[in-house]
Amino acid sequence: MSPISCHTSRMLQWNLQATSRWRRRTRFSGLLGFGWLLGLCGWVCLCATGELNAQPGDSLQSAQTNASLDSPSDDDPPVRRIRIRRNTKLPEPTPDPSIPIGTPSPAFLGEAPDDAIIENRTGTYGGRFVYAILGEVETFNPVEPKGATDQEIRALVFSSLVQYNNGDWHTSPDLAKSWQVSDDHLTWTFFLREGILWSDGTPLTVDDVEFSFHAVFHDQIATSIRDGFKHPQTGDLPQVSVDHDQNAVIFTLSRIDSQFLTHLGAVSIIPKHLWKDHLQEQDPTILQQMTSNSPPELLVGSGPFVLKEYIPAEKIVYQRNPRYWKKDSRGQRLPYIDEVVILLVKDLNLQWQKFEAGELDIFMDLPADHFREATAMEKAGTADLVRLGVSLNTNWVCFNMHPGKNPETGEPFVDEEKSYWFHQLDFRKAVNHAIDRDGIKRTAFQGRATAIWSSVTPGNRSWFHRGVSTYPYSVETAQRYLDELGWKDTDGDGVREDDQGRPIRFTLNTNVENNLRQQIGNMISQDLKKVGIDVNFKPQIFNDLVTSLRDSHKWDMILLGWGSGVPPDPANGKNITLSSGRLHAWNPQQAKPATKWEARIDQLMAMMDEELDDSVRKGYFDEVQELMGQNIPILYLIAANSYCTIKKGRLGNLWPSLLRPQLTWNLETLWIRQ
């Protein structure tokens, strides 16, 4: 593949100017990220470990870019990387031509396209790779993955126009081999690779790309992915068109979007020839396709694997996509692994038992309560324990302040008295002071965690803000706030009554699959009991919890977390931060901001999107964090240290990352050593 040159002298001049500006603004060479729940896309989602994950991704790039996977030339605008601690970036694997090639089974079909990406790796064909995830699969449909589990497994089957490298934290081409951006930064043109086939043998074309974006942008399809593309104030979406002569897809924006590549990477390309009849103008049925009940042969993609078998509550089995279109440094087709098995487990303890027994090759996002056991395996020489530093993921609690009613029953989502309590800022302050974060750190995390007060953890040195309001543990301060509200225990039963004589009593939910989060929930309920608040702690199945949060809105207080976005830029959490966002947990999808401070956050996020200077963007998001800290709609609790474990000597080309998924983000280049 020949290097992509600048398309016009004007573009070349802009690129050189952008490079100069980038060098002035970016004096560091390292990396680190931001912890929102949603991943290589610009949105957030829930995951069964108890986090809401942010998704796709790009670290900030110059607004006008010509990109290819060939070695960059001096004229190419460099990627602006996110700064992280040195010990969180591990060495990149290097090729070893002496490794045997082996024999792929199933074998590849046809030849790789001339436009195939060349990965600088070597490996041996064959073998089965086994790992586990929590909970159950609700859908394989990438138009709206329901949680981190769904979004991580979709990457095995589907590809996007651009991809994110979790190892060195930058965006590169994928289905698109290059792109242009106009001088005003409003028109983006992506040139598609020639010769790529769907797994069923049908050619992948620009019409498939256009179709996929029409599905995501359809106003009657509920998908969090769309939030990343929306103008924060007007809700406008990009216009999509195709140029068949240039084999290109063109996006026309209504405003500059510094994170457009990030949001673009969130969209998986799906085959139009299979699903075009399900994207109706009215009442589209596309989300009812590619579900967990669909036959495996209907899950047609362009990713490294295809679905072979799915057994509910047991496992998902993938096998090599024989028409996959990437190659390694020896010209061999990828992926190396013949079969990937993902076991579906009910909780973290069972998952650890399976790893300890040798049934799993890896354990990602190792919880603190299994750290000592993992250390023992490391000392015994049966496993490698990877220490990645302070996690970008967060743990939080939130009160339901949704003012709406169930359209079918007319019943309010939140009982009147609870809505009254939850809307009192002094009540939320009292709860924040009543939660013993240091106790949670010592007991639940065995000291391997950090108290937090914002969505940005101290691990994210680029976006962390020390000026956020804090609410140190103090039973006395919490009681004072409640006393000043006139809420006192008048009948001596240990539970306060509000100023209208109603006992302060409500339910706290978290996901039952996460043992650690259940421990935190019990500790919070005990903390609140000390100040006269009666909490009924009730864990639920994760998928039911997600439905309550995003759809039925029937909950009181919830304990979950935001997982790190990929890339970890705060713009990737717009579906949480914006008042119109689907994961604006306390009061989602507002037609207009319910409060002045939410309106100001919407404005700041819009300004942030349209700004290319990172130092200016940082100032905007500092104010966002301050407003969130002052009004505390979400009470941020703690960030754990990040670990993962690998069966000793089992896998080649491992490149662990602080970003999730820690070990499987480059699954197409992993190979089995044993």
Side-chain angles (χ1 to χ4, degrees), residues 18 33 262 266 292 434 612 641 660:
T262 294
S292 57
L612 300 178
N641 293 348
R660 83 183 315 150

Side-chain angles (χ1 to χ4, degrees), residues 143 207-217 267-271:
V143 177
D207 294 322
D208 294 307
V209 178
E210 182 184 39
F211 172 78
S212 302
F213 280 90
H214 284 166
V216 170
F217 291 168
V267 179
S268 298
I269 306 307
I270 59 176

Side-chain angles (χ1 to χ4, degrees), residues 411-445:
E411 293 294 320
F413 293 130
V414 187
D415 296 339
E416 185 273 330
E417 69 274 14
K418 295 174 184 176
S419 181
Y420 172 67
W421 306 331
F422 300 162
H423 276 85
Q424 303 293 326
L425 177 58
D426 282 352
F427 169 71
R428 301 197 299 275
K429 288 181 178 179
V431 171
N432 222 357
H433 280 293
I435 296 174
D436 183 2
R437 289 166 173 80
D438 286 339
I440 293 173
K441 173 183 174 180
R442 290 191 308 271
T443 303
F445 292 91

Side-chain angles (χ1 to χ4, degrees), residues 49-298:
T49 53
E51 289 131 10
L52 294 177
N53 240 1
Q55 308 209 347
D58 170 39
S59 53
L60 297 177
Q61 277 198 341
S62 302
Q64 180 153 339
T65 306
N66 294 319
S68 79
L69 282 178
D70 298 296
S71 300
S73 70
D74 292 339
D75 295 335
D76 289 330
V79 173
R80 285 187 274 164
R81 301 184 188 277
I82 298 170
R83 183 163 55 109
I84 65 172
R85 301 182 191 276
R86 290 181 181 177
N87 67 349
T88 61
K89 182 176 185 289
L90 300 178
E92 179 175 358
T94 55
D96 181 358
S98 67
I99 295 172
I101 292 175
T103 303
S105 177
F108 291 99
L109 298 175
E111 298 295 327
D114 293 337
D115 273 341
I117 287 177
I118 308 298
E119 298 284 3
N120 191 31
R121 300 287 185 271
T122 52
T124 301
Y125 289 123
R128 169 185 284 195
F129 174 57
V130 184
Y131 67 105
I133 57 177
L134 291 181
E136 186 52 270
V137 175
E138 187 171 344
T139 184
F140 291 104
N141 193 319
V143 177
E144 172 56 346
K146 298 296 184 180
T149 295
D150 293 342
Q151 69 197 42
E152 288 172 14
I153 63 175
R154 72 175 181 170
L156 277 66
V157 175
F158 298 99
S159 303
S160 301
L161 286 178
V162 298
Q163 63 182 348
Y164 193 74
N165 185 313
N166 287 24
D168 61 9
W169 301 50
H170 78 275
T171 295
S172 57
D174 200 28
L175 292 176
K177 62 183 177 182
S178 64
W179 57 84
Q180 291 179 348
V181 183
S182 62
D183 289 340
D184 61 5
H185 309 164
L186 297 181
T187 303
W188 294 68
T189 304
F190 292 83
F191 301 94
L192 202 66
R193 298 180 191 278
E194 305 277 358
I196 295 178
L197 300 178
W198 291 105
S199 56
D200 67 357
T202 306
L204 190 154
T205 71
V206 290
D207 294 322
D208 294 307
V209 178
E210 182 184 39
F211 172 78
S212 302
F213 280 90
H214 284 166
V216 170
F217 291 168
H218 198 299
D219 60 4
Q220 293 184 34
I221 294 177
T223 172
S224 301
I225 301 175
R226 183 167 58 244
D227 287 343
F229 292 94
K230 290 193 303 188
H231 189 290
Q233 293 174 307
T234 67
D236 289 345
L237 293 167
Q239 299 297 310
V240 189
S241 59
V242 298
D243 182 335
H244 289 97
D245 292 336
Q246 295 193 79
N247 198 31
V249 183
I250 302 165
F251 297 87
T252 305
L253 283 61
S254 60
R255 47 89 196 215
I256 295 173
D257 185 353
S258 65
Q259 295 299 296
F260 183 66
L261 281 179
T262 294
H263 309 319
L264 201 80
V267 179
S268 298
I269 306 307
I270 59 176
K272 181 179 180 179
H273 68 278
L274 283 180
W275 309 118
K276 61 184 178 181
D277 292 338
H278 293 280
L279 194 62
Q280 305 94 326
E281 265 189 56
Q282 297 295 322
D283 302 320
T285 55
I286 190 77
L287 291 186
Q288 283 74 58
Q289 318 311 313
M290 295 178 279
T291 67
S292 57
N293 295 320
S294 302
E297 60 269 18
L298 289 183

Side-chain angles (χ1 to χ4, degrees), residues 204 265 350 363 441 450 536 631 659:
L204 190 154
L350 178 59
F363 191 119
K441 173 183 174 180
T450 301
N536 174 29
N631 295 280
L659 301 175

Side-chain angles (χ1 to χ4, degrees), residues 421-592:
W421 306 331
F422 300 162
H423 276 85
Q424 303 293 326
L425 177 58
D426 282 352
F427 169 71
R428 301 197 299 275
K429 288 181 178 179
V431 171
N432 222 357
H433 280 293
I435 296 174
D436 183 2
R437 289 166 173 80
D438 286 339
I440 293 173
K441 173 183 174 180
R442 290 191 308 271
T443 303
F445 292 91
Q446 301 177 7
R448 298 178 180 90
T450 301
I452 57 173
W453 310 97
S454 167
S455 59
V456 183
T457 78
N460 189 335
R461 298 172 65 185
S462 291
W463 296 99
F464 182 69
H465 179 37
R466 297 187 183 277
V468 175
S469 299
T470 63
Y471 301 84
Y473 175 58
S474 172
V475 172
E476 293 76 14
T477 303
Q479 290 175 331
R480 186 176 71 250
Y481 275 116
L482 295 171
D483 288 343
E484 290 173 353
L485 285 168
W487 300 359
K488 300 181 179 181
D489 179 11
T490 58
D491 57 10
D493 65 351
V495 178
R496 291 176 183 260
E497 289 80 37
D498 68 10
D499 49 324
Q500 299 179 45
R502 299 171 297 194
I504 314 299
R505 182 175 287 121
F506 51 82
T507 298
L508 168 63
N509 301 121
T510 194
N511 52 311
V512 71
E513 299 90 345
N514 191 316
N515 314 90
L516 185 64
R517 210 169 286 283
Q518 289 194 58
Q519 189 175 4
I520 297 171
N522 279 314
M523 295 179 70
I524 289 173
S525 64
Q526 292 301 313
D527 285 342
L528 296 186
K529 183 178 181 180
K530 295 175 185 176
V531 298
I533 297 173
D534 185 21
V535 175
N536 174 29
F537 179 50
K538 186 178 179 181
Q540 291 183 323
I541 295 172
F542 180 70
N543 285 341
D544 294 343
L545 201 61
V546 175
T547 298
S548 297
L549 184 68
R550 299 201 304 187
D551 300 316
S552 69
H553 310 298
K554 196 64 179 175
W555 55 278
D556 297 340
M557 186 185 190
I558 205 164
L559 166 62
L560 282 171
W562 303 134
S564 172
V566 183
D569 186 285
N572 292 348
K574 287 195 299 184
N575 61 335
I576 302 168
T577 314
L578 295 181
S579 61
S580 60
R582 196 163 181 229
L583 283 176
H584 193 72
W586 61 97
N587 184 8
Q589 296 181 292
Q590 300 172 24
K592 62 179 182 179

Side-chain angles (χ1 to χ4, degrees), residues 570-637:
N572 292 348
K574 287 195 299 184
N575 61 335
I576 302 168
T577 314
L578 295 181
S579 61
S580 60
R582 196 163 181 229
L583 283 176
H584 193 72
W586 61 97
N587 184 8
Q589 296 181 292
Q590 300 172 24
K592 62 179 182 179
T595 63
K596 289 183 179 180
W597 62 267
E598 286 172 293
R600 175 59 177 164
I601 287 177
D602 285 358
Q603 181 185 35
L604 288 165
M605 295 304 293
M607 294 161 61
M608 193 175 174
D609 275 355
E610 297 183 24
E611 177 56 57
L612 300 178
D613 187 320
D614 287 345
S615 62
V616 177
R617 297 178 75 239
K618 173 67 163 62
Y620 293 153
F621 200 69
D622 283 353
E623 185 178 345
V624 170
Q625 293 181 77
E626 290 170 10
L627 288 167
M628 293 287 282
Q630 292 161 9
N631 295 280
I632 48 175
I634 292 180
L635 286 61
Y636 288 97
L637 303 175

